[in-house]
Amino acid sequence: MANYPGASGDGNSPGRERGSDAGFGQRVDQIGSEAQQLFSDARGAVEDLGQTLDLRGRVERNPYGMMVAALGVGYVLGGGLFTPLTARILRLGVRLAALPFVKDELLGMAETAFQGYQAGRSGFAPSPSPAREGSAAADANAAGTPRPPSY
């Protein structure tokens, strides 16, 4: 059993009602003052965060970027993170990120094949580049005859 200020010991005394009312009133006042303190602390924290992030300045400098950021935050907070749409967007992003690597590899293969073709036409074989040693295209260049690709 919890003891509050103003509560009597045995519970049978007639002064219990008057003492518990006074204790209850003091408790309500204490809770009210603690709530006001919590509210003022929260307001101060929000103001500090606002000054740190400088949201008004960011919106003035880059309104479209902040709109995109707000849409992204809303999408994530709205539960859109683990949806099929998000999975599709991520797959597309990975493909687009890998595109330069694939392009470079294809250009390197085409360049090697073209060098092999030129070597076959002119009768001399250029030395294989050190980066491509060990590949089938480099072996074809070293032999001086172009080979069809093996699948």
Side-chain angles (χ1 to χ4, degrees):
M1 179 172 146
N3 289 327
Y4 296 105
S8 61
D10 64 357
N12 293 329
S13 66
R16 179 173 182 241
E17 292 177 11
R18 211 174 335 134
S20 66
D21 286 343
F24 181 73
Q26 288 175 350
R27 185 71 178 146
V28 168
D29 288 341
Q30 181 183 4
I31 290 172
S33 66
E34 288 175 359
Q36 287 177 351
Q37 181 65 33
L38 179 65
F39 182 72
S40 65
D41 289 346
R43 180 178 287 179
V46 168
E47 288 175 3
D48 289 345
L49 181 64
Q51 289 175 355
T52 302
L53 295 177
D54 186 28
L55 290 177
R56 290 185 193 271
R58 287 177 190 256
V59 169
E60 289 174 4
R61 289 188 302 267
N62 192 359
Y64 295 117
M66 291 302 291
M67 284 294 294
V68 169
L71 284 171
V73 168
Y75 183 77
V76 169
L77 291 179
L81 193 59
F82 300 109
T83 61
L85 176 65
T86 304
R88 284 188 218 126
I89 290 171
L90 285 175
R91 272 184 287 193
L92 178 65
V94 167
R95 287 178 184 165
L96 290 176
L99 190 62
F101 299 114
V102 172
K103 182 187 83 165
D104 291 343
E105 192 63 33
L106 287 174
L107 285 175
M109 289 171 48
E111 180 181 293
T112 305
F114 184 69
Q115 287 175 355
Y117 174 74
Q118 283 182 334
R121 285 190 73 189
S122 64
F124 72 93
S127 63
S129 63
R132 305 238 192 282
E133 277 187 29
S135 68
D139 293 340
N141 282 341
T145 57
R147 292 185 185 171
S150 61
Y151 296 102

